[in-house]
Amino acid sequence: MIYAIALIILVSCNPALTALFTPAQRGPGRYEVCTTTETLEHVVASGPADDIHFGDIEALESLDAFGKAGPYNRSRLARLYGGTRVMVVHGWGASAAGFRSVTLLSPYPDPSLTRLLPGTMSIRWLTSPTEDTGGL
């Protein structure tokens, strides 16, 4: 329990990163982008305690890793990574509080897309049972 609380304290959600890497059109649910100094492997290992089920870690090109959902500058992001692959894992969780879809990425860019930071970025889509998700 204390360990879980310590991990929560180390996570910082960033509205600037949320604006860059999530869709402008908001449907049901909400997005948040948070970061932690923890390694991707550590975050994945602690996932089941948060009822998150993760797939395998993959090494992807930056544009494949971040997708097309957000308004970030794709050329700038590709130059920033310079051929370095992004470690990515997708996960999900469902509970009485709602559904969560999670993408973890490491290393991750700062909001100005000028440097890569160690640690893990989490892009989360969260919805509650009371929201209309169109059959999801």
Side-chain angles (χ1 to χ4, degrees):
M1 181 76 159
I2 293 171
Y3 179 73
I5 293 169
L7 185 59
I8 291 169
I9 292 170
L10 297 174
V11 173
S12 168
C13 294
N14 188 319
L17 290 173
T18 302
L20 275 179
F21 295 111
T22 64
Q25 293 285 333
R26 305 286 189 218
R30 65 182 168 86
Y31 283 95
E32 62 184 20
V33 176
C34 304
T35 60
T36 179
T37 58
E38 298 294 336
T39 66
L40 185 126
E41 293 81 6
H42 184 268
V43 174
V44 169
S46 65
D50 192 27
D51 294 327
I52 300 290
H53 307 280
F54 288 109
D56 295 330
I57 297 173
E58 304 175 84
L60 300 176
E61 296 291 332
S62 60
L63 296 180
D64 292 331
F66 286 90
K68 298 178 181 177
Y72 68 91
N73 184 314
R74 283 144 180 76
S75 297
R76 191 174 205 168
L77 186 78
R79 283 192 307 274
L80 175 63
Y81 277 92
T84 300
R85 291 190 173 244
V86 185
M87 302 309 290
V88 179
V89 64
H90 299 284
W92 65 273
S95 69
F99 180 82
R100 296 175 310 268
S101 174
V102 180
T103 301
L104 303 176
L105 305 109
S106 182
Y108 65 93
D110 71 329
S112 66
L113 302 181
T114 57
R115 61 190 175 113
L116 292 177
L117 302 171
T120 303
M121 172 190 281
S122 170
I123 300 174
R124 298 184 265 191
W125 179 71
L126 312 146
T127 187
S128 69
T130 59
E131 293 179 82
D132 179 10
T133 58
L136 290 179

